[in-house]
Each structure stands twice: as C-alpha cells, then as structure tokens.
Amino acid sequence: MPVILLTGGAGYIATHTAICLLEAGFEVLALDNFSNSQPQALERVGQICGRQVPLVKADIRDEAALERVFSEHQISAVVHFAGLKAVGESTEQPLAYYDNNVAGTVTLCRVMARHGVKQLVFSSSATVYGDARQMPIREDAPRSATNPYGQSKLMLEYILADLQASDPAWRIAVLRYFNPVGAHPSGLIGENPNGVPNNLMPFISQVAVGKRAQLAVFGDDYATADGTGVRDYIHVMDLASGHLKALQYLQQQPGLVAVNLGTGRGYSVLEMIKAFSDINQVAVPYQIVARRPGDIAECYADPSLALELFGWKAERGLEDMVRDAWRWQQQNPDGYCS
Ligand code: NAD
Ligand code: WQD
C-alpha cells in the first residue's frame, strides 16, 4: 500500500491533516525532528483514528536519514510541512531559516527525485503576497517578502517551479495558507506554541484560560472598519481537507499549481476577541498598543481557484474556530504535557 510521507508530521497542521488522510483511506508516515513539536501529538492522532501513525525521528536536512526512509517505505507522495515559521525569530536568525526551510527542502526534493517520488504538496503561505494592494488576493497577485521567513517561502516557490519545469514528471501543489486557527473537535490535538505565542488565536486562548493577563492589540489605526488588522482565519480542519483534495488532484493532473487556502472572509482583531468571548462565555481582557512592525492592514483570499481545481472550499465558520480553539486550550492548558 503506497504511503504519504508527512514531513513536520508532529506539527500543528500536519497532525490535523493526518486525520483527514487516514479517514480517506491513505496510509501515512510522519517524519519530524521535534524542533517545534512532541511525539505525543501523533499518539493523540492515533487515539482519534484508532490506529497509530508510524513516526520517524529525522531532520529533512539529513540526506542519509531521508535515504533510509525512502528505501524502507513505499512512498508515493510527500506533503511537506517541515519548516520554521516564526517571523520575528527569522529576522534574528536568518541563516537558520534559510538552512532549515530552503536547504532542507532542496535535500528532500533531491532524495525524492532519486527514488522517483515526484508528487509534492508544499506548505506555502499568504506571506508571499507581502503587502498586497488588492483584496481579495488572487494567486496571480505580485509576490514579495518582508522578512527571512517569507523570503524562504518565496524562494521555495521559485525553486519548486524551476524543478517542475526541468522535469514534467513532477506534480506539485503549492498551497498558500491564510491564517490557520482552531483545533480538532475532539479537543485532543491543537496548536501548542512554545513560549509566548506570536499569533493572535493562541494568545487569546492563553489569556482566556488565565495563563496571560491580557492581550495586546497591535494598533487600532489601520484603514479597516474598526481600525484593527483584518485576516482570513481558516479552521485547521478545513485546511487539512484542502491537503487531501490537493493530493487527489495531483493523482489526476500533471504540472504545478499554486492555490490559496482561505475562506475569502476577513475578520478584525476586535471581531475575533468578541467572537471568542461571546461564544465561549469567557472574558478576554485586552489593551490597544502600538502597531507591530511589519504588520499589514488586511489580508484575505480569493479562494475560487481551490474550488475550481480541487472542488474544495472552507466549510467551518468563526463559531467553530473559536469553540474548537477553546476546547483544546481548556482540556490541555499546558499543551501535550497536560
Ligand atoms: P509547526 O511548527 O507546528 O509544524 C512544523 C513541524 O516541522 C514541527 O513539528 C517541527 O518540529 C518540524 N520541523 C521543523 N524543521 C524540521 C526539520 N528540519 N526536519 C524535520 N522536521 C522539522 O507549524 P505549522 O503551523 O503546523 O506549519 C506547518 C507548515 O505550514 C510550515 O511550513 C509553515 O511555515 C507553514 N505555514 C504555517 C502557517 C501558520 O500560521 N501556522 C501559515 C502559513 C504557512
Ligand atoms: C493576526 C492579527 C496582528 C497577535 C503571521 C505570519 C504569517 C503566517 C501567519 C506563516 C494581526 C494581530 C496578533 C497579538 C494582535 N504564518 N495581533 N496581538 O500576522 O497575519 O501572520 O502568521 O506563514 O506569515 O506573519 O498573524 O496571528 O500574528 O496576527 O493584535 O498578540 O492579530 O497585528 O492584525 P499574521 P497573527
């Protein structure tokens, strides 16, 4: 039975995707170096699905380790999540980001090619649109990056396009995620950031559960309806099903596609706080502070290409996002160590 390799398989988006793939009848193999995750996350996936996910501890930059994995398993496609993703950290440690994200992906692709595995789903990001001028953002919008993390994703988009152009046997889906939030409805798996969360939703959850005193809202003087930043938050289970659809698409279609995974609907920071506290009946104290450097006013997708090519659209709304994020947080106040 052919196996789908999930790099970064113990991470936030990969664990949710593993559930979708297992439920659709795929065999999966997870590979992770646990630089930002724990193996317990995959044990929880096993609990949810009734069977354990095989797991290899390895780094995607370790070519010999990848060689062994591809020799020992009948891998048919790779969903490549492994990467570092903290924007602020990337400006302090650019080489770590280029090494891990860019060099790691090059190594992975080299081993894939050697083993004739040429189907790849790649985790890109709406960050490749930089400060987009037109909303909603279509896939053919100009791309740019404002930090090393974003640069690494942009470089990889170019590298993968060159790779596919050099050998049409490659089938590649570049998925540009907007803002993934929420958790599996069981509350058993979810987002588990190390230290102080960089992203809005985990910060709100940690304030609500009492781990942090209040949320700092980064600016209320943007050119948006209420002055706070607007983003396209997408439920992580919708994002997960987008990966399933992308894999099924690649089984039918050659070439490279770059596709937005978003809902097409933006919400402001204040709308997110209000939804979280109203729906979950919990207080989220906050204070307006200065803008965060590098932030943009708004960012939301035109998700029509995903519907056209994959037959995919987001099904879950804001209520599901905040309810599921809260269930995970409450059941696991200390993440997978709870
Ligand atoms: P995550 O940190 O939870 O998952 C990434 C996983 O990759 C972690 O388990 C980490 O330990 C692993 N990893 C990192 N470097 C590795 C290496 N060299 N070898 C092996 N494993 C390695 O992050 P996530 O939110 O699940 O993100 C998954 C992917 O999606 C990343 O590539 C990220 O850049 C991209 N993405 C995430 C978001 C987001 O907001 N979460 C948005 C857009 C794109
Ligand atoms: C959302 C909104 C903040 C935290 C980042 C990366 C991007 C992508 C997703 C991977 C903004 C505001 C946030 C807080 C706040 N990652 N905010 N107080 O900035 O859209 O995107 O994560 O590819 O590359 O840049 O997401 O969740 O950090 O912020 O007011 O404590 O919430 O200003 O308007 P962002 P975010």
Side-chain angles (χ1 to χ4, degrees):
M1 174 83 175
V3 174
I4 311 295
L5 176 67
L6 309 181
T7 72
Y12 171 46
I13 302 169
T15 44
H16 292 82
T17 302
I19 294 172
C20 268
L21 297 184
L22 288 168
E23 284 175 352
F26 284 96
E27 291 288 323
V28 304
L29 170 66
L31 179 148
D32 207 297
N33 68 355
F34 305 118
S35 57
N36 196 37
S37 58
Q38 290 128 311
Q40 287 92 315
L42 281 164
E43 287 165 20
R44 301 275 184 96
V45 172
Q47 226 174 301
I48 293 167
C49 294
R51 58 188 165 128
Q52 281 306 311
V53 176
L55 168 65
V56 177
K57 182 176 184 208
D59 193 297
I60 53 164
R61 293 164 295 178
D62 181 347
E63 194 154 352
L66 292 187
E67 264 300 323
R68 280 194 296 278
V69 170
F70 279 81
S71 301
E72 288 167 9
H73 299 270
Q74 202 191 329
I75 294 166
S76 60
V78 176
V79 188
H80 176 34
F81 297 99
L84 301 176
K85 62 165 184 177
V87 171
E89 184 184 70
S90 81
T91 61
E92 288 150 22
Q93 303 171 34
L95 296 182
Y97 274 68
Y98 292 125
D99 183 39
N100 201 89
N101 295 4
V102 181
T105 303
V106 170
T107 303
L108 172 69
C109 290
R110 194 160 50 225
V111 177
M112 287 176 69
R114 219 158 33 227
H115 289 264
V117 180
K118 295 185 178 177
Q119 283 188 37
L120 176 68
V121 177
F122 172 64
S123 299
S124 191
S125 166
T127 193
V128 301
Y129 295 119
D131 193 354
R133 266 191 227 118
Q134 258 196 327
M135 294 296 143
I137 306 177
R138 286 162 45 104
E139 286 81 355
D140 55 6
R143 287 173 293 168
S144 66
T146 51
N147 56 70
Y149 166 71
Q151 288 285 9
S152 74
K153 292 292 178 189
L154 195 48
M155 286 178 191
L156 285 166
E157 288 205 357
Y158 287 120
I159 290 169
L160 294 177
D162 288 342
L163 177 64
Q164 201 283 327
S166 75
D167 175 359
W170 279 92
R171 297 175 177 219
I172 301 177
V174 169
L175 303 182
R176 296 184 183 143
Y177 312 155
F178 280 68
N179 290 60
V181 295
H184 188 266
S186 64
L188 285 172
I189 60 168
E191 190 170 8
N192 182 31
N194 276 332
V196 183
N198 297 306
N199 296 113
L200 179 65
M201 186 65 104
F203 208 110
I204 290 179
S205 302
Q206 291 195 7
V207 170
V209 85
K211 284 182 85 169
R212 304 195 183 273
Q214 62 177 9
L215 171 76
V217 174
F218 298 140
D220 67 349
D221 56 352
Y222 286 103
T224 59
D226 65 22
T228 64
V230 167
R231 298 291 184 274
D232 186 340
Y233 297 94
I234 173 168
H235 195 292
V236 65
M237 290 309 298
D238 278 330
L239 198 61
S241 74
H243 292 74
L244 168 63
K245 296 286 183 156
L247 273 173
Q248 290 169 335
Y249 172 87
L250 290 185
Q251 289 176 341
Q252 307 297 325
Q253 300 288 336
L256 178 144
V257 287
V259 179
N260 289 339
L261 293 184
T263 66
R265 165 80 156 94
Y267 289 100
S268 74
V269 177
L270 295 181
E271 284 176 313
M272 294 302 286
I273 297 170
K274 184 168 173 10
F276 196 100
S277 55
D278 287 358
I279 289 161
N280 296 323
Q281 293 293 297
V282 61
V284 181
Y286 68 90
Q287 190 189 4
I288 310 284
V289 303
R291 290 182 180 195
R292 181 171 64 178
D295 269 358
I296 54 179
E298 54 177 3
C299 177
Y300 53 94
D302 177 340
S304 52
L305 188 63
L307 183 60
E308 188 188 313
L309 296 182
F310 301 162
W312 173 92
K313 67 178 169 54
E315 307 282 354
R316 295 158 181 86
L318 188 53
E319 275 200 39
D320 303 296
M321 300 182 208
V322 297
R323 202 186 292 118
D324 292 339
W326 183 226
R327 187 182 298 109
W328 154 253
Q329 179 70 61
Q330 276 192 301
Q331 289 180 19
N332 308 272
D334 297 313
Y336 290 105
C337 303
S338 304

